[in-house]
Amino acid sequence: MLDKESLRFLQQALEKLDAGFSSLPASPVQSPQSDRIAEVLASTAERLQDNYPYFHPMYAGQMLKPPHPVARSAYALAQWINPNNHALDGGRASSAMEKEAVAEIARMFGWTTHLGHLTSGGTMANLEALWIAGQLAPGKTIIASEQAHYTHGRISAVLQLKFDTVSCDAGARMDIEALQKRVAKGDVGTVVATLGTTATGSVDPLAEILELREKHGFRVHCDAAYGGYFVLAGNLASGTRRAFDSIPRVDSLVIDPHKHGLQPYGCGCVVFLDPAVGHFYKHDSPYTYFSSKDLHLGEISLECSRPGATAVALWATQKLLPLVPGGEFAHGLEQCREAALELHRRVAGDNRFVAVFPPELDIVVFAPRAGSLSESSALTRKLFDAAARHNLHLAVAELPVEFFASAIGDITRDRPRVSSLRSVLMKPEHREWVGTIWKVLDAATTEVFAL
Ligand SMILES: Cc1ncc(COP(=O)(O)O)c(C=O)c1O
């Protein structure tokens, strides 16, 4: 089930890396307690068996995706060096690789000038963006939609910034009229537009948000942690495409290579359009910035030590799969969206389910039809368990009933939210597997309805 072939390539690359240090005086390689390593690793493997099979297409639940073998191998290769991208002294090659990789991400969004770096994930990346937003508009409020990731409210509290939400439309996108009313109060410093919400993959109307900026002068931060790479997909609906085409005009953006970018965890990315915001990061480090006058990444990031291996893995992945429309990487995203459209089509056409709006990216949400929303929510839990018994792993999300709109018909609305099944079809293989996924879902549903 698991790829082992890449271990051969890793071995070859390790020989090559080793050769680069041949001028050093010999120092015997020490492997303390090597007799016990195999034993401990075997126990480790056994412990790791207690996981859902995130690497397999039948795992179609949360945003979990295996890294590409090249990312995994490059990350592992870098571990023999263990560079630290805080300062050039600690990670010379990997810092250069990070700058190149981030520049390629910025170019993907049409930015030729930028300031950016990798972070430990989307939370840290958004924290840095909101920190800058707060510095530029002290005392003003950060606005996000009710479906924005919870991190924005939390981060604002950490940064002691005022935070407020605006409602969503029936497609789980920021309601532009609600935003218009909110910004008219005159206290808004920054609007967070989510391009790809966590629960449903909905895309906020960025073009319209930017139009409002013209009049009200707030800053726009784009949280594209999950959805950002879809800018490369050639099969988005026109409204979604319009939002993605507007990204070059935002002030800052976040994208997570550890979501759709085929990277191991620990890889987020924040990018600012205006490199001048770098002055907010300015600080002295009397111990580390000594080896070069070139930019040390620690000078433009809040975290100090950061794994150079993350940059190495991302750089290698982008070498193999360049971030260009029409390329293999872009095609993978298109397949994910096709898989989601197909699953949604089947669910929406089956009277045993109520479906929300068609997916904008690759997340499908639905609930079993029942007499009331409480019964439907209880069935969701049962279906989640029944599917898992058949090796199909889905996720559950609590969603406002409004997202189900007309599909809900005469179901009694006895609660404001519906426990819904949620499937993130984020592996390109899902396109091929959607028929099998449907068959298993069908069998599990028959089972649950018969109880
Ligand atoms: C839109 C969005 N923003 C931010 C985050 C937080 O990212 P992380 O989990 O990498 O900290 C997520 C995570 O799912 C997300 O979907």
Side-chain angles (χ1 to χ4, degrees), residues 141-208:
T141 305
I142 310 274
I143 298 286
S145 92
E146 282 172 356
Q147 283 294 308
H149 195 276
Y150 71 76
T151 196
H152 296 287
R154 259 179 127 204
I155 287 168
S156 300
V158 170
L159 296 170
Q160 302 197 330
L161 301 172
K162 289 182 211 152
F163 177 79
D164 203 358
T165 56
V166 293
S167 55
C168 287
D169 64 16
R173 297 170 293 232
M174 182 181 274
D175 184 320
I176 200 72
E177 278 177 26
L179 179 66
Q180 194 164 7
K181 276 196 197 124
R182 183 62 189 79
V183 295
K185 290 187 183 171
D187 65 333
V188 174
T190 298
V191 173
V192 176
T194 306
L195 267 63
T197 60
T198 315
T200 62
S202 297
V203 175
D204 283 346
L206 184 57
E208 290 74 8

Side-chain angles (χ1 to χ4, degrees), residues 326-341:
E328 190 182 334
F329 180 77
H331 183 53
L333 294 158
E334 288 157 4
Q335 285 176 299
C336 296
R337 177 160 147 76
E338 277 176 30
L341 284 172

Side-chain angles (χ1 to χ4, degrees), residues 3-79:
D3 154 62
K4 295 171 202 92
E5 205 197 343
S6 54
L7 288 175
R8 202 159 44 87
F9 307 130
L10 175 58
Q11 171 89 33
Q12 286 164 6
L14 189 56
E15 301 295 346
K16 172 93 180 166
L17 178 62
D18 200 14
F21 295 98
S22 57
S23 64
L24 287 171
S27 148
V29 179
Q30 294 200 341
S31 209
Q33 303 204 41
S34 56
D35 50 332
R36 286 209 60 233
I37 289 180
E39 194 189 311
V40 170
L41 279 178
S43 322
T44 310
E46 202 176 317
R47 288 298 297 268
L48 283 173
Q49 288 169 355
D50 180 25
N51 268 309
Y52 291 119
Y54 309 117
F55 55 88
H56 196 283
M58 291 296 275
Y59 183 85
Q62 305 235 54
M63 277 172 203
L64 286 149
K65 176 168 177 158
H68 192 282
V70 77
R72 198 168 50 224
S73 306
Y75 195 102
L77 183 65
Q79 291 303 289

Side-chain angles (χ1 to χ4, degrees), residues 205-235:
L206 184 57
E208 290 74 8
I209 294 170
L210 288 164
E211 270 169 37
L212 281 181
R213 178 177 71 176
E214 297 301 307
K215 183 165 172 215
H216 297 277
F218 49 77
R219 193 174 165 80
V220 175
H221 168 61
C222 174
D223 181 0
Y226 144 69
Y229 286 103
F230 278 94
V231 72
L232 299 175
N235 59 352

